[in-house]
Amino acid sequence: MCSTANYVLPLRRTCETQAAPGRACGAPTPHGARTHGPQDAEMDAAWQELMAISELQEFEVPAEGPYETTQYQTMEPMVPMGVYGMAPSHSGRPPTCELGSADTYNRCYPEDVPPCHHQGSNTGAVYGPSDYQLNQRMHPISSQALPSLMALRGQVNVSFDGQGHRRANTCFSQGPSRHMQWTIHGQCSHVIPTDDLESDSGLSLGSSPPLASPDNPVSAVPGYQSGDTGITYRDGEPEHARRAQLHYSVNYQGQSYLHSGAHHSNFSAPNTLSHTQPETTTLRPLKHQSQAAALNDMYTESGASSRGSSQFHMYTKPQGSSSTHAPLSRDERRALSLKIPFPMEKIINLPVDDFNELLTQFTLTDKQMALVRDIRRRGKNKVAAQNCRKRKLESIIHLEQELNELQDQKEHLAQERLEFQHSLTFIKCRLTDLYAEVFTHLRDEDGQPYSIDEYSLQQTPDGKIYLVPHTTVPKRGQR
DNA sequence: AGCTTGTGTCATCGT
DNA sequence: CCACGATGACACAAG
């Protein structure tokens, strides 16, 4: 029992009508004689510490015990306790945070309560994140270079830096009337039926079937001549065996263009090139080939770049039946069939004004005009599709990287949460010890200690401390 | 034979 | 209205 300072806090159950939290409540009742003893300073400090810790009750901790919600909550006072009775620490129950030491509160801790011996413990350390925790919190998510992703990215670059062409082994004819055969690897030497013009990949082959079909040949453009040696425009300039060696250069930023290779077409003064059918390497890109090799394979014919689908080959004639050549695209064959007098490169890549000006320089039939516009539209759309696919793949890669980063962040946060929970558990343990210690100093009017099972200490927002019996549940607005 | 991948093409929408 | 780019969907060829 209290021997030196039996500061009795007369317990009144008259505060059953409590004010709402925020209201002034806590003036010492007439029965709440405030007495001070020599250990006031110590108790004040303890209470301040206790109340400071109680703010941590906002932490959400699983398996909260009823103790927190009933005893430590800040609520309306039953009895003002500006000063509480004190008794010397004679109870023989020194403050301890060992679980179960306060037998009343054994139930209040989660499973992962660490054994906490608060004596000598640095409680301040647990009131905030440790440096380690802060560092962890501030630790940036490392963007890990994922080999697979990088490899994929590289593959993407490869696949779009060089446009594969899969028609390396296709064979074609230059038209039914000429019976010219170009073969690749000598695998095809027969004349492809005329409907091969419509048999290119893709659907909706009938976008301009009447135009494209060699079954509906269009008369040659006036002034346009086609012979074995080349083409002579009406201005008299020949176009020999010129193959616009076009290949794609796709720029992600939208600078996509189809440009000629070593031999840029010059419409006003077409070059005359001897047409030789170079040996063709495997044109289809190999997935696991190196980028350079793939590019060379796709674009190179005997050192000169030449692509299949993008080549403009209408003015050429194979020299010799044994020579091989990249196949013409469907549009190229159509253009050849309809004797379009300018290269596909210009059709596709000229600005609209220049393109329209180009059209005015020739007298084209309606079918030729329609084909030219279709070629232009398809050529642009083809580049657009390539850009679109590249963007899609890069977007997928980016999202995968982002996903990995978020997963790492999730793991980091989970670990951080676990550490915070441990810290919180320790703080609660410390609080429980302090709470019990306070009770050991409380005495009623008769000098008897209050039972911690029957009473609880509660603090109002204005800082007043009240001893509230468990059986009395103060109601809001009542005082 | 079925699957995957790459590509061309068309239709459609928005600018 | 036209040109153009972007994109989904489809078909096709090759691996």
Side-chain angles (χ1 to χ4, degrees):
Chain A
M1 290 299 290
C2 172
S3 60
T4 58
N6 187 3
Y7 300 123
V8 176
L9 177 65
L11 179 61
R12 292 195 55 197
R13 305 187 183 188
T14 58
C15 213
E16 298 174 358
T17 59
Q18 300 295 330
R23 283 207 217 162
C25 177
T29 65
H31 303 280
R34 307 169 77 109
T35 56
H36 293 268
Q39 295 181 340
D40 272 3
E42 178 184 347
M43 290 303 296
D44 284 340
W47 265 109
Q48 288 185 3
E49 184 178 3
L50 186 150
M51 291 310 156
I53 295 173
S54 66
E55 295 178 0
L56 296 174
Q57 300 308 309
E58 294 178 2
F59 275 100
E60 178 184 358
V61 177
E64 294 283 354
Y67 154 73
E68 291 183 338
T69 57
T70 59
Q71 293 187 345
Y72 282 178
Q73 63 183 354
T74 298
M75 56 183 296
E76 302 305 321
M78 290 299 293
V79 177
M81 288 189 61
V83 173
Y84 30 82
M86 288 184 64
S89 300
H90 64 286
S91 62
R93 192 175 63 180
T96 174
C97 202
E98 289 179 321
L99 298 182
S101 62
D103 52 358
T104 308
Y105 300 105
N106 285 348
R107 65 192 182 279
C108 68
Y109 297 111
E111 299 174 354
D112 55 350
V113 172
C116 45
H117 304 275
H118 70 275
Q119 293 186 357
S121 64
N122 184 4
T123 56
V126 296
Y127 287 163
S130 63
D131 290 344
Y132 169 71
Q133 290 167 337
L134 288 176
N135 289 337
Q136 279 198 322
R137 185 186 293 278
M138 299 300 292
H139 184 70
I141 300 301
S142 62
S143 62
Q144 300 177 353
L146 302 176
S148 60
L149 288 174
M150 294 304 104
L152 179 58
R153 178 186 292 278
Q155 202 172 66
V156 169
N157 291 336
V158 169
S159 64
F160 283 91
D161 286 342
Q163 181 189 18
H165 197 274
R166 64 169 181 269
R167 294 180 181 80
N169 295 330
T170 59
C171 52
F172 51 88
S173 69
Q174 198 174 10
S177 61
R178 297 189 182 112
H179 301 288
M180 286 189 276
Q181 307 170 31
W182 295 326
T183 62
I184 305 298
H185 294 198
Q187 296 179 1
C188 293
S189 59
H190 61 280
V191 176
I192 300 298
T194 57
D195 58 0
D196 181 59
L197 291 173
E198 302 299 326
S199 67
D200 206 334
S201 64
L203 46 75
S204 301
L205 300 180
S207 66
S208 55
L211 301 176
S213 173
D215 295 335
N216 301 318
V218 180
S219 59
V221 178
Y224 173 88
Q225 295 178 5
S226 177
D228 290 344
T229 57
I231 295 173
T232 300
Y233 292 103
R234 61 183 168 191
D235 59 359
E237 293 178 342
E239 174 77 4
H240 286 290
R242 184 178 56 84
R243 187 177 185 88
Q245 294 160 357
L246 307 177
H247 67 271
Y248 286 100
S249 176
V250 180
N251 188 327
Y252 177 69
Q253 281 75 21
Q255 300 296 326
S256 305
Y257 49 90
L258 184 68
H259 65 85
S260 61
H263 307 288
H264 291 271
S265 62
N266 187 337
F267 178 74
S268 58
N271 295 330
T272 298
L273 303 175
S274 63
H275 180 82
T276 58
Q277 296 297 327
E279 291 297 326
T280 304
T281 60
T282 300
L283 298 185
R284 181 174 181 82
L286 299 180
K287 187 173 182 179
H288 301 294
Q289 250 180 333
S290 68
Q291 180 175 354
L295 288 172
N296 287 335
D297 286 347
M298 286 188 294
Y299 299 144
T300 301
E301 291 183 11
S302 296
S305 67
S306 176
R307 285 197 73 257
S309 62
S310 296
Q311 298 164 358
F312 186 67
H313 201 197
M314 58 177 291
Y315 307 122
T316 64
K317 174 186 175 182
Q319 303 293 321
S321 59
S322 61
S323 62
T324 59
H325 205 287
L328 293 178
S329 69
R330 182 180 63 175
D331 280 338
E332 287 170 333
R333 281 172 272 147
R334 286 171 172 171
L336 183 65
S337 174
L338 293 184
K339 300 180 175 60
I340 303 300
F342 28 80
M344 288 183 62
E345 177 201 9
K346 290 184 177 299
I347 296 175
I348 296 172
N349 297 317
L350 279 180
V352 60
D353 293 338
D354 295 343
F355 174 68
N356 290 330
E357 183 179 354
L358 174 65
L359 294 180
T360 62
Q361 296 176 5
F362 294 90
T363 301
L364 301 179
T365 64
D366 291 341
K367 291 181 178 180
Q368 284 178 313
M369 192 70 74
L371 175 61
V372 166
R373 295 194 180 279
D374 280 348
I375 289 173
R376 181 176 175 87
R377 176 180 52 80
R378 280 192 288 264
K380 287 183 175 297
N381 183 250
K382 183 166 66 177
V383 177
Q386 291 166 349
N387 287 333
C388 182
R389 284 163 177 150
K390 181 179 180 179
R391 280 192 298 269
K392 181 186 288 185
L393 286 179
E394 290 182 349
S395 175
I396 291 172
I397 290 173
H398 177 265
L399 289 175
E400 287 176 345
Q401 289 176 334
E402 194 172 352
L403 176 63
N404 289 330
E405 291 174 358
L406 289 175
Q407 287 174 342
D408 292 343
Q409 187 176 6
K410 179 183 177 183
E411 294 177 2
H412 172 74
L413 291 175
Q415 176 66 24
E416 198 174 48
R417 171 189 169 90
L418 187 62
E419 292 172 358
F420 279 132
Q421 285 179 349
H422 288 159
S423 296
L424 181 60
T425 300
F426 176 82
I427 293 170
K428 288 178 178 177
C429 183
R430 169 77 170 153
L431 176 61
T432 298
D433 286 346
L434 291 173
Y435 189 86
E437 182 181 0
V438 168
F439 258 92
T440 64
H441 295 285
L442 296 180
R443 295 292 182 273
D444 61 9
E445 296 166 336
D446 300 330
Q448 298 299 319
Y450 289 104
S451 172
I452 198 169
D453 295 327
E454 297 176 0
Y455 298 94
S456 65
L457 293 172
Q458 297 179 4
Q459 184 185 30
T460 59
D462 56 4
K464 301 272 190 313
I465 309 299
Y466 295 90
L467 188 62
V468 182
H470 283 318
T471 56
T472 300
V473 178
K475 298 178 181 178
R476 296 177 69 91
Q478 293 181 342
R479 178 179 291 255

Short mmCIF file of all heavy atoms in Angstrom, two decimals, chain A residues 143-155 397 400-401 404:
data_model
loop_
_atom_site.label_atom_id
_atom_site.label_comp_id
_atom_site.label_asym_id
_atom_site.label_seq_id
_atom_site.Cartn_x
_atom_site.Cartn_y
_atom_site.Cartn_z
N SER A 143 15.70 -0.31 -61.04
CA SER A 143 15.22 -0.89 -62.30
C SER A 143 16.20 -1.95 -62.73
O SER A 143 17.28 -1.69 -63.19
CB SER A 143 15.11 0.20 -63.36
OG SER A 143 16.36 0.75 -63.60
N GLN A 144 15.77 -3.10 -62.50
CA GLN A 144 16.67 -4.19 -62.80
C GLN A 144 16.63 -4.48 -64.28
O GLN A 144 15.59 -4.55 -64.90
CB GLN A 144 16.24 -5.44 -62.03
CG GLN A 144 16.26 -5.19 -60.53
CD GLN A 144 15.76 -6.41 -59.80
OE1 GLN A 144 15.29 -7.34 -60.43
NE2 GLN A 144 15.85 -6.38 -58.49
N ALA A 145 17.78 -4.60 -64.75
CA ALA A 145 17.87 -4.96 -66.16
C ALA A 145 17.61 -6.44 -66.29
O ALA A 145 18.36 -7.27 -65.80
CB ALA A 145 19.25 -4.61 -66.71
N LEU A 146 16.53 -6.73 -66.86
CA LEU A 146 16.16 -8.12 -67.01
C LEU A 146 16.74 -8.64 -68.30
O LEU A 146 16.44 -8.13 -69.37
CB LEU A 146 14.63 -8.24 -67.01
CG LEU A 146 14.01 -7.68 -65.76
CD1 LEU A 146 12.50 -7.76 -65.87
CD2 LEU A 146 14.49 -8.42 -64.54
N PRO A 147 17.52 -9.61 -68.16
CA PRO A 147 18.15 -10.12 -69.39
C PRO A 147 17.14 -10.53 -70.43
O PRO A 147 17.31 -10.26 -71.60
CB PRO A 147 18.98 -11.31 -68.87
CG PRO A 147 19.17 -11.03 -67.42
CD PRO A 147 17.93 -10.31 -66.97
N SER A 148 16.11 -11.17 -69.97
CA SER A 148 15.15 -11.62 -70.96
C SER A 148 14.50 -10.45 -71.66
O SER A 148 14.30 -10.46 -72.87
CB SER A 148 14.09 -12.48 -70.29
OG SER A 148 13.41 -11.73 -69.32
N LEU A 149 14.21 -9.45 -70.89
CA LEU A 149 13.57 -8.29 -71.50
C LEU A 149 14.54 -7.57 -72.42
O LEU A 149 14.17 -7.11 -73.49
CB LEU A 149 13.09 -7.34 -70.41
CG LEU A 149 11.89 -7.85 -69.64
CD1 LEU A 149 11.57 -6.92 -68.49
CD2 LEU A 149 10.71 -7.97 -70.56
N MET A 150 15.75 -7.48 -71.96
CA MET A 150 16.72 -6.81 -72.81
C MET A 150 16.92 -7.59 -74.09
O MET A 150 17.03 -7.02 -75.17
CB MET A 150 18.04 -6.66 -72.05
CG MET A 150 17.94 -5.74 -70.86
SD MET A 150 17.34 -4.08 -71.29
CE MET A 150 15.67 -4.17 -70.69
N ALA A 151 16.94 -8.86 -73.91
CA ALA A 151 17.08 -9.66 -75.12
C ALA A 151 15.89 -9.46 -76.03
O ALA A 151 16.03 -9.33 -77.24
CB ALA A 151 17.23 -11.14 -74.74
N LEU A 152 14.74 -9.37 -75.39
CA LEU A 152 13.54 -9.14 -76.19
C LEU A 152 13.59 -7.80 -76.87
O LEU A 152 13.23 -7.64 -78.03
CB LEU A 152 12.31 -9.25 -75.30
CG LEU A 152 10.97 -9.01 -75.98
CD1 LEU A 152 10.83 -10.01 -77.12
CD2 LEU A 152 9.85 -9.16 -75.00
N ARG A 153 14.10 -6.83 -76.09
CA ARG A 153 14.19 -5.51 -76.70
C ARG A 153 15.13 -5.55 -77.88
O ARG A 153 14.86 -4.98 -78.93
CB ARG A 153 14.68 -4.50 -75.66
CG ARG A 153 14.85 -3.12 -76.23
CD ARG A 153 15.47 -2.22 -75.19
NE ARG A 153 14.59 -1.97 -74.08
CZ ARG A 153 13.65 -1.07 -74.10
NH1 ARG A 153 13.46 -0.33 -75.16
NH2 ARG A 153 12.89 -0.87 -73.05
N GLY A 154 16.23 -6.21 -77.65
CA GLY A 154 17.15 -6.30 -78.77
C GLY A 154 16.53 -6.99 -79.96
O GLY A 154 16.72 -6.60 -81.09
N GLN A 155 15.75 -7.95 -79.61
CA GLN A 155 15.08 -8.66 -80.69
C GLN A 155 14.10 -7.76 -81.39
O GLN A 155 13.97 -7.79 -82.60
CB GLN A 155 14.36 -9.87 -80.11
CG GLN A 155 14.08 -10.93 -81.12
CD GLN A 155 13.54 -12.16 -80.43
OE1 GLN A 155 12.45 -12.13 -79.87
NE2 GLN A 155 14.29 -13.21 -80.44
N ILE A 397 7.18 -4.21 -73.48
CA ILE A 397 8.43 -4.31 -72.72
C ILE A 397 8.40 -3.33 -71.55
O ILE A 397 8.78 -3.67 -70.42
CB ILE A 397 9.62 -4.05 -73.64
CG1 ILE A 397 9.76 -5.22 -74.62
CG2 ILE A 397 10.89 -3.88 -72.84
CD1 ILE A 397 10.81 -4.99 -75.69
N GLU A 400 6.17 -4.57 -68.86
CA GLU A 400 6.78 -5.68 -68.12
C GLU A 400 7.81 -5.16 -67.12
O GLU A 400 7.89 -5.63 -65.98
CB GLU A 400 7.41 -6.66 -69.09
CG GLU A 400 6.38 -7.48 -69.85
CD GLU A 400 7.03 -8.38 -70.89
OE1 GLU A 400 8.21 -8.16 -71.21
OE2 GLU A 400 6.35 -9.30 -71.39
N GLN A 401 8.58 -4.20 -67.56
CA GLN A 401 9.56 -3.62 -66.63
C GLN A 401 8.85 -2.95 -65.46
O GLN A 401 9.25 -3.07 -64.31
CB GLN A 401 10.44 -2.62 -67.36
CG GLN A 401 11.41 -3.28 -68.34
CD GLN A 401 12.20 -2.26 -69.12
OE1 GLN A 401 11.75 -1.14 -69.33
NE2 GLN A 401 13.39 -2.65 -69.57
N ASN A 404 7.63 -5.50 -63.05
CA ASN A 404 8.68 -6.03 -62.20
C ASN A 404 9.06 -5.04 -61.10
O ASN A 404 9.27 -5.42 -59.95
CB ASN A 404 9.91 -6.38 -63.05
CG ASN A 404 9.67 -7.59 -63.91
OD1 ASN A 404 8.91 -8.48 -63.54
ND2 ASN A 404 10.28 -7.62 -65.07
#
